[in-house]
Amino acid sequence: MTPSSSIAAPGAVPGHEAHDDHGHHPSYLTDGTTVKSWLLTVDHKRIGIMYLAWILLFFLVGGIFALLIRIELLTPGPTIMDAMTYNRVFTLHGVVMIFLFMIPAIPSVFGNFLLPLMLGAKDVAFPRLNLLSLYVYLAGAGFALWGMLNGGLDTGWTFYTPYSAHTTTTVAPVLFGAFIIGFSSILTGMNFIVTTHTMRAPGITWFKMPLMVWALYATSCIQVLATPVIGLLLLLVTAENLFSLGMFDVARGGDPVLFQHLFWFYSHPAVYIMVLPAFGVMSEVVSTFSRKNIFGYRAVAYSSVGIAFVGFFAWGHHMFVSGQSTFNAGVFGVLSMLVGVFTAIKVFNWVGTVYKGAVEFSTPFAYFCGFLFFTVFGGMTGIAVATVSLDVAWHDTYFVVAHFHFIMVGATIMAFLAALHYWFPKMFGKMYHEGWGLVSAALIILGFNATFIPQFLVGNAGMPRRYYEYPERFQALNVASTAGASLLAFGFIIIAIYLTYALIYGERVDNPWHSKGYEWLTHSPPPTHNFIGPQPTYPEEPHFYVDPKKAQGEVSDV
Amino acid sequence: MSDLANQFLFLPERASTFAERVDFLHYFVVGTTMVMSAGVGLAALFMFFRYRRREAHQHTEYVVPDLKTEFLFVSVPLVFFLAWFAIGFRDFTWFTTPPKDSMDVYVMGKQWMWKFSYPEGPNGVNVLHVPANRPVRLLITSRDVIHSFYVPSFRIKMDALPGRYTQAWFEATKPGTYQVLCTEYCGLSHSKMLAEVVVLAPEDYENWLQEQQRGRLQDRQDALADTSLVPPVARMAEQGQKLVGTQGCLKCHSVDGSKHIGPTFLGMYEREEKLDDGQTIRVDEAYITQSMMDPGAHIVAGYQNVMPTYQGKLQGPESAAIVEYIKTLRTANVRETASEGPAYDPIQ
Ligand code: HEM
Ligand SMILES: [Cu+2]
């Protein structure tokens, strides 16, 4: 397992696509098969795979609770549970999905697996820290889940004071769990930042980094800067809840709205922690499957950084009706518009990438199509709710629920599934059944729309969120939404089946997409230290599909 | 036409002047969103087909946008988004600035009900009566956790915060009954925290008011006849007058203009106070309430921070009653004229 022992085959050069030396060099999957060799590994790829397993488990838990919510809302009155249970169920759903699934999903799984490969590095900068962050994450998750199953808090994932300081349910362990998970987030972020700065292979300049790396880099900056704020805030609330400190209690000179400022100061940027990696994945996917360089590479890269920056100054748009001043509402309103513009730049450039391309409509690309729709529609409805006067009507109704599911869940799930399908061969060296891939993608995109479009409408009609019972007139739309959710669930079941099948019986492949992404310059699955022989060289930019004979003249034009 | 649009968008009946503004912007925003999504979607679909892959290892051209294209990508959305913002902010300013001649109602959220009290008399739980075509200002607070007062048909919403007053206003345009919902999660029965606004034609409202007052007078006479107990107070201000005595406010504050441990109540409402940190603040409902609940937040220059908090000690609409009482202690130089419409400074 010493790094220097693996020199054998000639260096991989861009453009090569076939390997047949699998037998001689164990892949990271087969290099050590004991349980210990997995649990104590410092290989970023194995850590990524372990994250994948846990994250899928938490997604299942969150998903089951989502279905319970939808079944409860099938009828206006009580359906399958009582009000207290419902309040705990939607809190559990929110906490699990946000803190255990969405925030870590793409960075921890695909970021871990791919970042070093995309930079031509043998590992991340701090491999042991990387393993630690996995266990910190699991410890936090354990705490939070234990708290939710023993007592179960009912505050919603937003934990607003003074309710969270007064409620008799068990707040402390869940908040403490979320606090611990924050450390994992910070560790991973730091690791990625240092890796990107110091471990790029010769030839990979900043503007030759794949766009996925740019997205991960911007995300990591947000994680490192914003997570400490929520960490401290969660500690303060825990203390307030246990010892009645008076930080947020008016009777003791506290401020009930202070919590919301601090909370959204983290949680608004956190929305971009969830969605920027998704943007990164999609940049890779659209380029590979249209065999084209990214239309405006620099614009897409800079806009990630722009979003990360402006994202810090928009938090007040969650609080337009909380009694903040009209002036503040104006400032936060304008700044929110800028985030929309940065996203628009990306969308236009993705569509531009297809121009004069060669589109292969495979499963990851199907998810790209869904993603495009959810991002445009979810993003535009986001700008709509940031339009101050409209938000007076929409705030805390199902319109907002639909909006944030479209943008963060829709876009992120599309990207997660696209990534899973696109990099499945990279990770396991196996191929899944393309037909089933397309069928389930169609089901999921359809089911998602059927679930959340009715929620936009029921929000327009005035149904508030976090309602256990609702006036009769909202029922038809709720039934439609529940029907959509079952379609969605069905889609996920199909994926689980054919991917498991592919894992065992799948056909061996190396680079089924003929992708020129840097991560494909090594074998699939990659060997333990990522490359066999000398490090690959990187004469071309990523996302480069130009005919080599013509390349010389054309590139120099730009 | 717009009724059809509302049906299509599932919007509830439009019953306030604010609702008209919100709906107009809503159509504009939904319209642009639809056109944009369709534009991007169709362009993408067209290109997926036009540029479909013909052979596995196909090469492509190296295409990059020129500056003009990137400029368009930025400026077109920016112009639209800023237009939304400009209209939305204009309407929001209108919404946060009640006309000077609006009628006041105190609203208090409490797990899990809404209480309404009128300066002229009646109190009520879960039913708010208001006249049509007259601006109504709501002074909203909470007894416990944060709630949010939401009337879909008026398109208005405002959080109810413990220990503070926030304000919202509306002018209902047609008589009828409209639902009030709580939109900030507030515990077990959050979804049952419903109330209604009954909008009455102006004459009907006068009748209703008189009905209420007659009922109270009757109560008062019965009480006098039967027992000689203290009659129930008919007006919030009267109740407030009693409360400042029983709660001990008068130990430190005078009502005749003389300076004591605290500033006098006389003429305090609407006064510009100089604070000990050099700033000035205008005494309004929010400031009076904050001074009762969180006395240390803003100290008037020249006074000590010695006042105890009344958070939790003042029940129900009692704090509102005290505010109303202090309002009656205005001096003559306070302007009393009605406004012509929205005015962009703190209102009376
Ligand atoms: C099968 C797909 C899903 C369905 C049917 C679903 C359904 C719902 C519903 C009905 C609510 C509203 C609860 C309420 O306000 O009373 C909700 C809230 C929420 N959902 Fe989902 N959801 C799904 C997937 C996800 C995913 C993947 C995430 C990942 C982040 C997510 C995040 C949230 C969040 C953050 C909330 C707000 C929680 C709260 O109000 O405390 N959902 N979901
Ligand atoms: Cu409430």
Side-chain angles (χ1 to χ4, degrees):
Chain A
M1 288 221 354
T2 52
S4 54
S5 70
S6 52
I7 298 176
V13 286
H16 85 144
E17 256 140 22
H19 301 279
D20 46 14
D21 47 0
H22 283 119
H24 308 289
H25 301 281
S27 77
Y28 77 99
L29 287 171
T30 49
D31 184 4
T33 47
T34 57
V35 173
K36 203 175 132 207
S37 73
W38 276 88
L39 295 185
L40 296 181
T41 182
V42 288
D43 183 345
H44 65 99
K45 300 180 289 303
R46 286 197 165 192
I47 294 174
I49 299 292
M50 287 197 282
Y51 263 118
L52 178 63
W54 284 106
I55 274 168
L56 288 176
L57 178 75
F58 293 134
F59 183 58
L60 178 69
V61 173
I64 289 173
F65 283 96
L67 285 177
L68 290 178
I69 293 175
R70 281 313 333 161
I71 295 171
E72 174 52 48
L73 293 179
L74 208 49
T75 65
T79 311
I80 53 166
M81 54 181 104
D82 59 29
M84 198 53 182
T85 312
Y86 179 80
N87 295 344
R88 288 172 179 174
V89 164
F90 77 66
T91 303
L92 213 152
H93 165 73
V95 170
V96 169
M97 287 296 200
I98 297 276
F99 293 105
L100 302 186
F101 174 71
M102 298 250 308
I103 290 179
I106 296 176
S108 295
V109 178
F110 299 103
N112 253 322
F113 196 97
L114 296 165
L115 187 76
L117 290 174
M118 286 179 163
L119 293 176
K122 288 198 157 87
D123 206 322
V124 290
F126 308 110
R128 284 194 189 80
L129 210 59
N130 202 15
L131 182 65
L132 178 67
S133 81
L134 169 69
Y135 287 111
V136 171
Y137 162 76
L138 288 178
F143 245 104
L145 284 174
W146 177 80
M148 281 188 280
L149 299 176
N150 289 278
L153 94 165
D154 70 332
T155 58
W157 77 279
T158 50
F159 316 122
Y160 272 16
T161 55
Y163 186 75
S164 59
H166 291 181
T167 178
T168 51
T169 53
T170 8
V171 177
V174 181
L175 293 187
F176 195 60
F179 173 75
I180 298 175
I181 294 171
F183 277 97
S184 163
S185 208
I186 295 172
L187 290 180
T188 305
M190 274 180 3
N191 217 339
F192 284 5
I193 291 175
V194 176
T195 306
T196 310
H197 273 274
T198 62
M199 313 262 299
R200 280 174 286 126
I204 305 187
T205 60
W206 280 88
F207 289 106
K208 273 177 73 181
M209 295 194 314
L211 284 166
M212 175 77 177
V213 176
W214 272 103
L216 288 170
Y217 183 76
T219 309
S220 301
C221 292
I222 308 178
Q223 279 177 320
V224 170
L225 292 174
T227 316
V229 178
I230 191 132
L232 291 176
L233 180 63
L234 294 178
L235 281 192
L236 288 178
V237 177
T238 314
E240 173 111 352
N241 185 275
L242 294 179
F243 313 116
S244 307
L245 286 191
M247 187 70 60
F248 309 107
D249 182 353
V250 206
R252 296 157 191 263
D255 182 347
V257 187
L258 174 65
F259 176 89
Q260 296 182 23
H261 281 288
L262 293 173
F263 179 82
W264 288 113
F265 183 80
Y266 165 78
S267 294
H268 188 73
V271 177
Y272 303 111
I273 297 180
M274 301 177 224
V275 86
L276 271 177
F279 290 172
V281 168
M282 286 308 174
S283 299
E284 301 294 322
V285 166
V286 71
S287 153
T288 298
F289 291 92
S290 48
R291 289 190 79 73
K292 258 287 302 302
N293 65 307
I294 292 284
F295 191 54
Y297 170 89
R298 284 189 185 224
V300 177
Y302 281 136
S303 60
S304 288
V305 181
I307 290 176
F309 183 73
V310 186
F312 275 104
F313 303 100
W315 81 88
H317 65 211
H318 295 273
M319 300 165 62
F320 287 146
V321 296
S322 69
Q324 76 174 320
S325 74
T326 309
F327 176 77
N328 277 359
V331 172
F332 287 124
V334 174
L335 289 171
S336 306
M337 300 297 152
L338 299 184
V339 181
V341 172
F342 284 121
T343 312
I345 296 175
K346 285 181 185 288
V347 168
F348 291 141
N349 281 301
W350 288 322
V351 177
T353 300
V354 182
Y355 176 65
K356 295 200 173 170
V359 175
E360 181 189 14
F361 203 92
S362 55
T363 309
F365 197 79
Y367 286 114
F368 169 75
C369 298
F371 166 85
L372 208 57
F373 177 71
F374 291 135
T375 304
V376 172
F377 208 74
M380 301 269 298
T381 50
I383 312 291
V385 289
T387 306
V388 262
S389 69
L390 292 181
D391 187 57
V392 172
W394 279 328
H395 178 72
D396 270 346
T397 65
Y398 262 87
F399 190 93
V400 171
V401 174
H403 148 68
F404 73 66
H405 277 88
F406 251 63
I407 186 72
M408 23 188 259
V409 185
T412 309
I413 296 276
M414 288 300 116
F416 185 80
L417 293 174
L420 194 62
H421 286 84
Y422 175 43
W423 284 303
F424 190 85
K426 182 83 243 164
M427 294 172 132
F428 304 108
K430 302 271 182 79
M431 191 58 196
Y432 51 86
H433 191 282
E434 181 67 27
W436 282 114
L438 286 172
V439 167
S440 56
L443 267 180
I444 285 179
I445 294 170
L446 217 84
F448 203 91
N449 279 304
T451 308
F452 293 105
I453 287 176
Q455 292 188 19
F456 278 117
L457 299 174
V458 81
N460 266 352
M463 177 163 160
R465 69 194 281 200
R466 299 173 176 178
Y467 259 33
Y468 164 66
E469 289 169 82
Y470 53 82
E472 198 118 11
R473 63 180 184 281
F474 300 135
Q475 191 179 6
L477 288 166
N478 274 296
V479 171
S481 179
T482 303
S486 43
L487 209 59
L488 195 52
F490 192 52
F492 282 112
I493 294 173
I494 298 182
I495 296 185
I497 295 173
Y498 72 76
L499 282 190
T500 313
Y501 181 87
L503 207 55
I504 307 168
Y505 305 107
E507 177 201 344
R508 286 210 139 277
V509 288
D510 193 69
N511 182 357
W513 321 119
H514 314 296
S515 170
K516 296 203 178 175
Y518 291 166
E519 74 276 22
W520 298 95
L521 290 179
T522 185
H523 307 276
S524 307
T528 305
H529 293 288
N530 292 352
F531 307 99
I532 293 166
Q535 211 169 20
T537 48
Y538 301 87
E540 290 163 356
E541 40 190 292
H543 323 295
F544 192 84
Y545 292 91
V546 182
D547 184 347
K549 290 190 288 291
K550 291 207 290 178
Q552 209 54 43
E554 266 180 275
V555 180
S556 55
D557 277 342
V558 187
Chain B
M1 178 52 205
S2 70
D3 280 341
L4 196 69
N6 275 16
Q7 243 165 27
F8 187 67
L9 294 169
F10 286 77
L11 288 167
E13 192 177 1
R14 195 184 311 121
S16 78
T17 49
F18 185 60
E20 277 153 26
R21 288 170 173 249
V22 169
D23 282 9
F24 159 74
L25 185 56
H26 193 146
Y27 304 144
F28 177 43
V29 164
V30 169
T32 349
T33 304
M34 295 292 183
V35 172
M36 280 272 275
S37 316
V40 172
L42 292 178
L45 277 184
F46 169 76
M47 290 205 285
F48 296 163
F49 182 75
R50 169 74 182 68
Y51 299 110
R52 66 192 176 280
R53 192 171 301 182
R54 287 153 216 264
E55 48 174 303
H57 290 266
Q58 195 169 344
H59 289 291
T60 54
E61 279 175 54
Y62 190 84
V63 188
V64 289
D66 51 14
L67 212 59
K68 221 167 69 199
T69 318
E70 289 289 11
F71 180 75
L72 267 182
F73 284 179
V74 177
S75 54
V76 170
L78 188 63
V79 165
F80 272 102
F81 294 163
L82 288 182
W84 295 1
F85 169 77
I87 303 172
F89 190 60
R90 182 200 66 187
D91 293 349
F92 185 73
T93 317
W94 191 77
F95 170 68
T96 50
T97 317
K100 292 202 172 192
D101 56 352
S102 48
M103 165 189 140
D104 283 353
V105 181
Y106 288 89
V107 179
M108 199 200 53
K110 172 181 179 316
Q111 285 168 324
W112 290 277
M113 63 179 82
W114 293 104
K115 291 192 177 178
F116 303 103
S117 17
Y118 299 73
E120 319 89 64
N123 292 345
V125 172
N126 288 349
V127 187
L128 168 64
H129 289 84
V130 294
N133 304 321
R134 168 145 181 224
V136 177
R137 178 172 70 147
L138 304 174
L139 289 151
I140 305 170
T141 190
S142 160
R143 260 255 339 248
D144 35 47
V145 299
I146 300 177
H147 303 275
S148 193
F149 183 89
Y150 174 41
V151 188
S153 301
F154 299 166
R155 315 282 191 272
I156 65 161
K157 179 179 296 119
M158 185 51 72
D159 283 0
L161 306 171
R164 309 258 141 111
Y165 273 109
T166 50
Q167 61 175 23
W169 77 279
F170 64 88
E171 183 178 327
T173 48
K174 43 186 160 179
T177 302
Y178 305 98
Q179 187 152 45
V180 178
L181 305 136
C182 174
T183 50
E184 185 64 64
Y185 177 71
C186 56
L188 189 64
S189 300
H190 167 54
S191 60
K192 284 198 192 137
M193 194 164 154
L194 308 175
E196 52 194 29
V197 187
V198 178
V199 177
L200 299 168
E203 322 78 73
D204 294 340
Y205 179 73
E206 284 310 319
N207 290 340
W208 174 80
L209 208 58
Q210 270 168 18
E211 194 76 14
Q212 295 294 308
Q213 253 136 26
R214 222 176 295 125
R216 288 184 177 265
L217 280 177
Q218 193 60 51
D219 285 350
R220 178 186 288 211
Q221 262 144 23
D222 292 350
L224 279 173
D226 289 0
T227 66
S228 81
L229 284 172
V230 186
V233 274
R235 295 169 54 88
M236 277 172 87
E238 278 174 41
Q239 197 194 348
Q241 188 173 20
K242 293 176 90 93
L243 280 166
V244 295
T246 55
Q247 293 289 334
C249 312
L250 298 181
K251 281 192 260 176
C252 299
H253 297 274
S254 74
V255 292
D256 60 2
S258 57
K259 213 174 138 168
H260 197 34
I261 298 173
T264 180
F265 288 158
L266 187 70
M268 168 194 277
Y269 184 67
E270 296 247 291
R271 190 161 62 199
E272 298 275 351
E273 290 283 23
K274 253 193 119 47
L275 302 180
D276 62 359
D277 60 5
Q279 295 185 301
T280 55
I281 200 165
R282 195 182 182 98
V283 178
D284 56 9
E285 291 84 355
Y287 176 67
I288 297 175
T289 312
Q290 191 183 31
S291 300
M292 288 188 273
M293 304 306 164
D294 180 12
H298 297 290
I299 306 289
V300 179
Y303 292 92
Q304 299 293 310
N305 181 11
V306 292
M307 180 170 157
T309 173
Y310 284 85
Q311 173 74 20
K313 290 184 204 147
L314 290 171
Q315 301 295 314
E318 288 175 338
S319 63
I322 293 177
V323 173
E324 280 302 316
Y325 172 60
I326 291 176
K327 280 193 196 173
T328 63
L329 298 174
R330 250 170 303 189
T331 50
N333 58 15
V334 173
R335 196 158 43 114
E336 281 271 34
T337 48
S339 80
E340 321 270 294
Y344 297 89
D345 54 8
I347 36 65
Q348 79 119 48

